[in-house]
Amino acid sequence: MSFYVTTPIYYVNAAPHLGHAYTTIAADVMARHHRQLGDDVFFLTGTDEHGEPVALAAEAAGVTPRALADKNAERFKALAPLLNVTNDFFIRTSDPEHVKAVQEVLTRVKDNGYVELGVYEGWYCPRCADFKSESEIEDGNRCPIHKIELTWEQEENYFFRLSALQERLEQHYADHPDFVAPGSRYNEALSFIRGGLQDVSLTRGKLTWGVPVPWDESHVFYVWFDALLNYYTALTYARPGEDLTEEFWPPSYHLIGKDILKFHAVFWPALLMAADLPLPEHLYVHGYLLLDGHKMSKSLGNVLDPFEIIDKYGSDALRFYLLRDVSFGQDGSVSAADFEKRYEAELANDFGNLASRTIKMLLRYRDGAVPQVAVDPGLAPDFDGLCERVSALVGRAELTPALEEIWQRVRRLNRYVEENAPWKLAKEEGREADLDRVLATLAEGLRTVTVLLHAYIPQRAEVLLDALGTPDRSIANAHFGAALPTQVKDLDPLFPKQQASEAA
């Protein structure tokens, strides 16, 4: 099986922030889990480098758009390894291979009859690089996302005949009720389509920072159409000398924030239809990370720096917090205080303490040898079907419920320790077999949850699996009782409490 997951590509008009990390981490969890399932995975992320927002930011900084793109693209590239993200390719829309492929696809769209010359006028947000309909304009003639006043723009452009694809889009939504998730976002996109689609500018005649239009080089392609094609174009050159399109297109899952729903759930599938390309299988739309009640945004100046958080807590803590504290798909507030509470209560206490206690008891009572006995049948029902449920949830991008499924078993194992009190069994004559069973059950339970947590907290999971002597990360062997460890070794605290305290 092949699995292709993509993030949106990120604007290079400013440095990355926690919102970018959020989407990328979510995609990485899906990619890692599917690799654990044995699937052939391709994971794409990258940067969106053309268009007016970048040109304006470069002008304000006194540099060329190319110089700004080069600088900030490197910052986005640097974020991925810090997050321990395993993307297979990082695309830049200034890549010459991408530029060439965009020109080829959009020429095909024109040849198929979906492009015509016309004059456009309307209210425009330069930061969104988007014309706004009346229903999208806030009081004071402002952009609902960036809160700036809109400008009235008029220019001659080539238009994409979006209106001609309305019926096909409606039919696709009817035929694929899981095309966009969660359901509220499906309904939002379908409502926009049913409201009547208008033709949209495919090119801009007043800009130079963009992909040149091959049939009229006085124009460049509107940045959104350039960007939306990257998920397709990347496959044509991600591996030198290979074209991966046949193996991986269409994408299995495309993850986006809700602010770009219209472009990805309406414009993108319409564009692919016009180019005779298969549509993505699923789009999953997540909400905003909120700080002080507002969406985190570079333009609003309310961002948390993921680089600083990683320096203080490590990448695993950040990965865990973002998908644990905010239900993926919904809006949710984040804060340093909530981060530390979650770190202390769950990573340090629930999981870290379980790992330390289990291994230390095995070292103390059995010199690190895991008794090779049957696991406790009384605990087995708590793990029945766990792997299947987690895989099904991750497969639908329901990452927070999947993590909760695993965490319920982490807590169950902690209760099991208290219920059986191995330290008391060790002192009672004739209870050696009971102690063996409890220790083996804890070791196997800990291994099971750690394999399932690997996609979320890969660094610490690797350390713990190494201490358990069980390097196999496959989901096939993640079932409780499938691969009892044999020998453990000592382990430093996985999530030291003082780390969070010092960073408070």
Side-chain angles (χ1 to χ4, degrees), residues 34-65:
H34 277 271
R35 292 191 193 102
Q36 288 181 278
L37 288 169
D39 293 341
D40 190 6
V41 172
F42 193 84
F43 169 20
L44 178 70
T45 190
T47 45
D48 184 0
E49 303 187 7
H50 292 131
E52 191 167 12
V54 175
L56 290 173
E59 182 180 355
V63 298
T64 65

Side-chain angles (χ1 to χ4, degrees), residues 165-187:
L165 292 155
Q166 177 162 340
E167 186 176 331
R168 286 181 65 186
L169 282 171
E170 289 186 17
Q171 189 61 51
H172 185 79
Y173 271 75
D175 294 342
H176 302 86
D178 59 349
F179 178 55
V180 176
S184 60
R185 302 302 172 200
Y186 173 95
N187 293 334

Side-chain angles (χ1 to χ4, degrees), residues 256-276:
I256 59 169
K258 67 179 185 179
D259 53 334
I260 51 177
L261 172 70
K262 176 178 71 175
F263 298 99
H264 289 258
V266 181
F267 290 12
W268 186 30
L271 184 65
L272 295 173
M273 287 176 177
D276 299 322

Side-chain angles (χ1 to χ4, degrees), residues 234-395:
L235 296 176
T236 66
Y237 70 98
R239 291 181 191 164
E242 291 185 63
D243 188 335
L244 302 175
T245 307
E246 185 173 343
E247 181 178 359
F248 289 107
W249 188 266
S252 310
Y253 262 91
H254 178 58
L255 306 185
I256 59 169
K258 67 179 185 179
D259 53 334
I260 51 177
L261 172 70
K262 176 178 71 175
F263 298 99
H264 289 258
V266 181
F267 290 12
W268 186 30
L271 184 65
L272 295 173
M273 287 176 177
D276 299 322
L277 292 172
L279 272 57
E281 294 175 3
H282 305 285
L283 279 69
Y284 195 90
V285 186
H286 66 74
Y288 292 152
L289 295 179
L290 304 175
L291 191 68
D292 300 325
H294 296 284
K295 175 206 172 188
M296 248 183 278
S297 166
K298 294 169 289 191
S299 56
L300 297 179
N302 65 333
V303 298
L304 292 176
D305 187 345
F307 294 96
E308 291 182 6
I309 294 172
I310 292 166
D311 283 344
K312 293 176 181 178
Y313 295 97
S315 63
D316 278 355
L318 176 64
R319 292 168 65 101
F320 177 85
Y321 173 73
L322 290 179
L323 294 174
R324 181 78 170 137
D325 210 55
V326 176
S327 184
F328 191 63
Q330 307 300 317
D331 291 346
S333 296
V334 295
S335 71
D338 288 343
F339 186 107
E340 185 168 338
K341 287 178 185 176
R342 188 72 75 173
Y343 180 97
E344 290 266 353
E346 297 193 332
L347 289 177
N349 290 340
D350 286 353
F351 187 60
N353 194 39
L354 173 67
S356 295
R357 293 172 86 184
T358 298
I359 286 180
K360 289 188 184 306
M361 287 189 292
L362 281 161
L363 290 169
R364 180 177 181 181
Y365 302 131
R366 295 295 183 264
D367 294 324
V370 179
Q372 297 301 293
V373 298
V375 295
D376 193 333
L379 195 64
D382 291 285
F383 286 82
D384 284 349
L386 175 62
C387 293
E388 291 78 10
R389 286 194 298 277
V390 169
S391 290
L393 289 165
V394 173

Side-chain angles (χ1 to χ4, degrees), residues 67-216:
L68 181 68
D70 287 345
K71 175 185 175 183
N72 281 333
E74 289 305 313
R75 299 189 72 174
F76 280 95
K77 275 187 176 180
L79 179 61
L82 285 175
L83 296 172
N84 203 4
V85 162
T86 56
N87 56 294
D88 294 282
F89 189 59
F90 187 99
I91 189 171
R92 297 182 58 183
T93 56
S94 60
D95 291 343
E97 298 93 338
H98 168 77
V99 169
K100 179 182 177 183
V102 165
Q103 291 174 326
E104 291 173 352
V105 173
L106 292 179
T107 297
R108 188 190 318 160
V109 170
K110 177 178 177 291
D111 292 344
N112 285 346
Y114 290 100
V115 176
E116 60 185 20
L117 189 64
V119 176
Y120 194 91
E121 56 183 357
W123 293 108
Y124 181 78
C125 174
R127 291 184 184 166
C128 288
D130 181 29
F131 287 93
K132 301 295 181 181
S133 66
E134 290 298 325
S135 64
E136 295 176 292
I137 299 173
E138 284 195 344
D139 291 343
N141 203 39
R142 293 182 178 275
C143 169
I145 298 171
H146 296 103
K147 312 301 180 185
I148 61 172
E149 283 194 38
L150 303 173
T151 60
W152 187 262
E153 299 282 348
Q154 181 183 54
E155 61 185 59
E156 183 179 77
N157 295 327
Y158 289 92
F159 280 74
F160 173 53
R161 296 183 57 228
L162 180 64
S163 60
L165 292 155
Q166 177 162 340
E167 186 176 331
R168 286 181 65 186
L169 282 171
E170 289 186 17
Q171 189 61 51
H172 185 79
Y173 271 75
D175 294 342
H176 302 86
D178 59 349
F179 178 55
V180 176
S184 60
R185 302 302 172 200
Y186 173 95
N187 293 334
E188 182 181 344
L190 184 55
S191 176
F192 184 88
I193 295 168
R194 287 174 173 168
L197 296 179
Q198 305 297 316
D199 296 345
V200 294
S201 293
L202 179 69
T203 71
R204 300 293 305 279
K206 296 179 180 179
L207 288 176
T208 58
W209 180 238
V211 175
V213 175
W215 63 83
D216 186 344

